[in-house]
Amino acid sequence: MSIPRRLSREAAQRDGEVVRIAGFLQEYRALGGVAFAIVRDRVGSTQVTLKKGVAPPELFALLADLPRESVVEVEGTIRRSEKANRGSELFPTAIRVLSRAETPLPLGVVDKVGADLDTRFDHRFLDLRKPEVRAVFELRAALLAAFREAYRARGFLEVETPKLLRQGAEGGATLFPVDYFGQRAFLAQSPQLYKQMLMAAGFERVFEIGPVFRAEPSDTVRHLTEIGMLDAEMAYIDGAEDLRGMLEEVVRAALGSVRRSLTEAENPLADGLPELAAPFPRIPFETAEAWLGRPGAERDFGTEDEKAIGARVEREYGTPFYYL
Amino acid sequence: MSIPRRLSREAAQRDGEVVRIAGFLQEYRALGGVAFAIVRDRVGSTQVTLKKGVAPPELFALLADLPRESVVEVEGTIRRSEKANRGSELFPTAIRVLSRAETPLPLGVVDKVGADLDTRFDHRFLDLRKPEVRAVFELRAALLAAFREAYRARGFLEVETPKLLRQGAEGGATLFPVDYFGQRAFLAQSPQLYKQMLMAAGFERVFEIGPVFRAEPSDTVRHLTEIGMLDAEMAYIDGAEDLRGMLEEVVRAALGSVRRSLTEAENPLADGLPELAAPFPRIPFETAEAWLGRPGAERDFGTEDEKAIGARVEREYGTPFYYL
């Protein structure tokens, strides 16, 4: 098999050509004179059609015996087809098994049958094969790229600050201690101190996207001990509105570019991204207090308060983003 | 001062306009009827020219009394000038001191006088103001952006794998232990295991750029306990040459794009980037052994061996990159 391997979407465009594809055997159905296999790769899948008298006879037996999710390479000719739900089908001349899956599978990849969370975590490599799980990783990668680009385009320099520190930047309560050759070090809970040093150094505009660590022993779904944090700092502003305006610009630019790239990649999560009107609503603290029915209380807002305020903003302004 | 602040390079282009700049007071010289101040920002510097009888008289006294490296805002009119070594000069109407520097400065920013390493580290925010130090950070940011773009353009998905683990991926010898709420966790020394899971999950091509941690107590300059690591994984190859070709492509694309962006930003480090011929030389292990004068010894290469091989490749092929 010396011809180059094609991804399913490229292969589908090569009507009449001999191509090689590779991926997971998602499905195999034999219906008398014809059999169909679906081979899935990272961008989609290909329908492989075996016709009796056309496909090499041994391929029927090979596929009938092969567990779903095995890894295969298929070589054959692509033909456009109105009937195939992917617009084309591949008539194989050779199939090679690169890796045979164990049976039974602990969970199905494209089955409608759900698996419980423990099973999914125990077999995460299989769970990650689900196109809808992969879509989340693609969304995350697109967000990383888009936020980086949006900041760069506005003169922000990307920096990577140390994660292993002698001391914490924001007090010691939420730090993880590390045994550093018998001495005590800590994991960074924020790039704050370094960003401020970079301002004093005249870098003026910096950003970082990277891991930070918070030793908050919490059972809520809003706390993780390791998170990916986006952090930016900007000097020479005339007031807080300069920061709000910049953040608004960055979020709008980044989400717009994510929507474009996910749409192009046919990622279904593109449709769930919010449309952002500008400017984001500015909600005075007093207004939010009034909404919550306790004007002048001057209390910090808790999780439930924030949810209530967010819902009210969404209802009145139709946007999930606002300044409080 | 309600007009928008301009960076020095933009301001220089606005002949005849009233502009506002801001930055560090790098230098001030009064010469009888005229005085010059140099104000440095993140992209360069501006010559501020004060003429007796033209500039407000109090500005001479203000600048004469102001320590170097103080932060100032200057408003005035830009004029093209053949004499000014930046091609234009700013005739100020107002100067505002945003932050007065302490005196004496522990180290000079643009002085030719060197400071010892401890002094530089103790006052790192001042050391970072040096344009040649800043240039290194810009090079690093450009490398990050260029490698990410080069991998993305080739279908690699950016991922962020956990840094706080229950166990190490490559044995326990070089792991930092973390106190995780009374339990023992470790800092990641590599994304290896996760990358391999992502291959089993059908992601096919992934890369990560992020911190990893190695508990190697070493006094060499070739070991750091925290490093930024670029890691990529690729499935469906026909042989090792596929990987070498891909890496070669990525390195060439990334360094080319870094050279372009640094040149555009007038970063002097652009000139030091290597020109890369393709393909990179493939040096058989036997050839390298022969070069070292011990054919057939089948010993691992140490640091000195690697340096010798690198020097020989550089001499014979004129490139710092090669495959061994």
Side-chain angles (χ1 to χ4, degrees), chain A residues 1-5 7 20 22-24 40-43 71-73 96 98 124-126 128-130 133-134 137-138 140-142 144-145 148 152 154-165 175-181 184 187 197-205 209-211 213-218 225-226 228 235-236 238, chain B residues 1-5 7 20 22-24 40-43 71-73 96 98 124-126 128-130 133-134 137-138 140-142 144-145 148 152 154-165 175-181 184 187 197-205 209-211 213-218 225-226 228 235-236 238:
Chain A
M1 296 188 171
S2 64
I3 56 170
R5 179 222 176 190
L7 291 172
R20 173 166 62 120
F24 300 112
R40 189 185 69 247
D41 62 24
R42 70 181 150 97
V43 297
V71 185
V72 294
E73 254 185 356
R96 186 150 69 107
L98 299 181
R124 182 70 167 147
F125 73 96
L126 265 182
L128 285 171
R129 288 189 192 178
K130 296 178 179 173
V133 176
R134 183 187 167 86
F137 279 70
E138 285 173 346
R140 187 173 175 111
L144 289 173
R148 286 193 163 103
R152 256 203 315 275
R154 287 159 185 83
F156 285 76
L157 190 74
E158 182 163 12
V159 295
E160 295 168 304
T161 63
K163 303 301 161 219
L164 203 47
L165 310 176
L175 290 168
F176 282 113
V178 179
D179 175 0
Y180 192 81
F181 306 116
R184 175 156 275 217
L187 291 182
M197 262 180 69
L198 290 163
M199 292 304 102
F203 279 57
E204 297 189 16
R205 295 180 172 196
I209 303 180
F213 308 87
R214 300 268 167 124
E216 296 173 13
S218 179
T225 52
E226 177 179 349
Y236 297 115
D238 290 318
Chain B
M1 294 189 171
S2 63
I3 56 170
R5 179 221 176 192
L7 292 173
R20 174 166 62 120
F24 301 111
R40 189 186 69 246
D41 63 24
R42 70 181 150 97
V43 298
V71 185
V72 294
E73 253 184 358
R96 187 150 67 107
L98 299 181
R124 183 69 166 147
F125 73 95
L126 266 181
L128 285 170
R129 288 190 192 176
K130 296 179 180 174
V133 176
R134 185 188 164 86
F137 279 70
E138 286 174 346
R140 187 173 176 111
L144 289 173
R148 286 193 162 103
R152 256 203 315 273
R154 287 160 184 82
F156 286 76
L157 190 75
E158 181 163 13
V159 295
E160 295 168 304
T161 63
K163 303 300 160 219
L164 203 46
L165 310 177
L175 289 169
F176 282 114
V178 178
D179 175 2
Y180 193 82
F181 306 115
R184 175 155 276 217
L187 291 182
M197 262 180 68
L198 289 164
M199 292 303 103
F203 279 57
E204 297 189 16
R205 295 179 173 197
I209 302 180
F213 308 88
R214 301 267 167 124
E216 297 174 12
S218 179
T225 51
E226 176 178 351
Y236 297 114
D238 290 318

Side-chain angles (χ1 to χ4, degrees), chain B residues 12 29 36-38 45-49 78-91:
Chain B
R29 282 178 303 133
F36 303 100
I38 304 295
S45 59
T46 299
Q47 178 180 307
V48 179
T49 307
I78 280 282
R79 300 270 177 225
R80 270 198 217 297
S81 157
E82 301 276 317
K83 287 172 300 172
N85 56 14
R86 282 157 194 87
S88 66
E89 47 193 334
L90 176 59
F91 295 94

